[in-house]
Amino acid sequence: PKPENIKRLAEDLARDLYELYYVNFSSSLPRTLLEEFAVQTAASGTSHQIAQVYDQYLNFLCPEENMFSLHFPNTFESIHSPAMTDTAISSLIDRIVLALFSVLLTLKTVPTICAPRGNAAEMVATRLDAKLREHIMNSRQNLFAEGVEDIVAQSRRPVLVLLDRDIDLGSMLMHSWTYQALIHDLYNIRLNQISITQTDDAGRKAKKTYDLSVSDSFWANNAALPFPEVAIGIDEASNAFRREADEITRMGGVGSLDEVGGLDMGASTKQLQRAITSLPELTARKASIDMHMNIATSLLDSIKDRQLDVLFQMEEQM
């Protein structure tokens, strides 16, 4: 929520685009902006068209299962920059607290908060604790209890450990050999999407974009494995797909999987019918295998060009 967005909403209301408006904000709407919104809609005589205003508390990202990110770039640099004023640091801490509050509200849990003293983690812990207490004790509606029926589950409070990045600086300088870590190091990954420049047989360069989705079983099973094992896994998956594709085309008496979809289901045997039914899943597997084959090939080229295997061995020996 920003003043310019409130102004645009009020302008849309004044243009009478819709009969009713359900306004959803991704994060909590500050009281000052809510009052400004009320003033602008009252001035245009459109406040009666607002059916509901929702705070969705969605200002965080989940790039994969069991992991979330506040998506604040360069936070470590900002907090430790001598050019940062106390006001700017305080504002950044407040943004972190609001985002963590959104995560906890989504999980419907109030944790026990632990943090070391004397750094940014303590500031975040103190303000987050205050915000949780204020919401639970002073709000007319406790959002943490909304929709939660298991009282026993509510009583099991997890522990939220907040640590400053300074506690483990070495891990920021190390280069891992896993598939996921190499992709993060070598490519500009954003929201689980990467772009790779590839060269075809004619020497022409083209940029391709790939989505590393949590629904991709190969990515889910191999992201944390060392890159050599992933290369073997891609080869095995490719061979398994080829065997299944050959079996289906043999049963259908066609030359490729593209022709299988055109076969008459009514005239086919039950075995072939099952194979035709599984064709969409097989096609999706092929797309996944091709994607990881291209990514792995590009990774291998980068490893050779930059001698990353030598760098990894040197770091392991240090």
Side-chain angles (χ1 to χ4, degrees):
K2 297 179 180 179
E4 51 266 33
N5 293 336
I6 296 297
K7 182 180 178 180
R8 289 186 63 181
L9 282 172
E11 290 173 352
D12 285 348
L13 281 161
R15 291 164 60 191
D16 197 24
L17 298 176
Y18 308 102
E19 182 179 356
L20 292 175
Y21 292 81
Y22 294 84
V23 185
N24 291 266
F25 291 97
S26 60
S27 60
S28 177
L29 179 65
R31 182 75 183 182
T32 54
L33 290 183
L34 180 61
E35 292 175 353
E36 177 65 24
F37 190 34
V39 168
Q40 293 186 29
T41 54
S44 60
T46 56
S47 57
H48 66 281
Q49 293 180 268
I50 302 175
Q52 188 73 50
V53 177
Y54 295 97
D55 289 337
Q56 297 291 359
Y57 294 98
L58 297 175
N59 45 337
F60 65 96
L61 301 173
C62 289
E64 58 187 70
E65 290 188 38
N66 303 316
M67 175 183 175
F68 71 89
S69 170
L70 306 186
H71 201 55
F72 295 161
N74 305 320
T75 304
F76 179 83
E77 179 184 351
S78 299
I79 289 179
H80 292 81
S81 172
M84 283 284 285
T85 63
D86 291 342
T87 302
I89 292 178
S90 180
S91 176
L92 177 59
I93 295 296
D94 286 340
R95 289 177 59 206
I96 294 173
V97 168
L98 179 58
L100 287 175
F101 181 81
S102 299
V103 174
L104 297 176
L105 189 56
T106 301
L107 294 172
K108 291 290 191 294
T109 184
V110 180
T112 299
I113 304 174
C114 298
R117 296 183 180 277
N119 53 31
E122 183 187 8
M123 296 173 63
V124 172
T126 302
R127 296 190 191 184
L128 180 59
D129 175 72
K131 187 171 184 63
L132 288 169
R133 291 178 185 274
E134 179 185 8
H135 175 82
I136 294 172
M137 299 177 66
N138 301 329
S139 297
R140 288 178 298 176
Q141 184 179 20
N142 182 3
L143 296 177
F144 285 92
E146 187 178 278
V148 178
E149 300 177 357
D150 190 348
I151 303 300
V152 176
Q154 285 183 286
S155 64
R156 297 170 183 164
R157 297 180 60 187
V159 177
L160 173 62
V161 180
L162 299 175
L163 300 173
D164 195 87
R165 182 71 267 181
D166 292 348
I167 199 171
D168 185 23
L169 288 174
S171 61
M172 298 200 314
L173 305 176
M174 296 293 291
H175 298 82
S176 179
W177 194 239
T178 64
Y179 188 36
Q180 185 179 39
L182 282 170
I183 290 176
H184 273 268
D185 282 345
L186 297 178
Y187 303 125
N188 183 23
I189 185 168
R190 178 177 172 80
L191 302 179
N192 283 1
Q193 188 177 81
I194 62 172
S195 295
I196 297 176
T197 301
Q198 296 177 316
T199 305
D200 59 18
D201 297 335
R204 293 170 298 190
K205 293 185 177 181
K207 180 174 288 188
K208 289 189 176 182
T209 301
Y210 299 106
D211 290 313
L212 301 172
S213 172
V214 292
S215 60
D216 182 351
S217 59
F218 186 90
W219 173 252
N221 295 330
N222 293 271
L225 295 180
F227 180 66
E229 294 183 23
V230 174
I232 296 173
I234 293 174
D235 187 59
E236 292 176 348
S238 179
N239 291 335
F241 167 80
R242 193 176 296 110
R243 287 193 298 269
E244 292 184 42
D246 290 344
E247 180 65 17
I248 292 176
T249 54
R250 183 189 62 78
M251 288 189 297
V254 294
S256 67
L257 287 177
D258 295 334
E259 301 175 26
V260 173
L263 294 176
D264 183 7
M265 287 282 287
S268 304
T269 64
K270 290 184 178 181
Q271 188 177 10
L272 184 56
Q273 287 178 0
R274 287 195 299 269
I276 295 174
T277 304
S278 67
L279 189 60
E281 186 270 337
L282 204 61
T283 303
R285 275 177 54 198
K286 183 180 186 302
S288 174
I289 293 171
D290 289 344
M291 177 185 73
H292 288 288
M293 181 74 76
N294 292 335
I295 294 174
T297 301
S298 180
L299 281 175
L300 186 60
D301 290 340
S302 297
I303 290 171
K304 290 179 179 178
D305 292 341
R306 300 169 62 177
Q307 295 184 326
L308 298 180
D309 53 335
V310 178
L311 174 63
F312 176 72
Q313 291 176 359
M314 290 177 61
E315 289 184 346
E316 286 293 297
Q317 293 170 1
M318 291 177 62

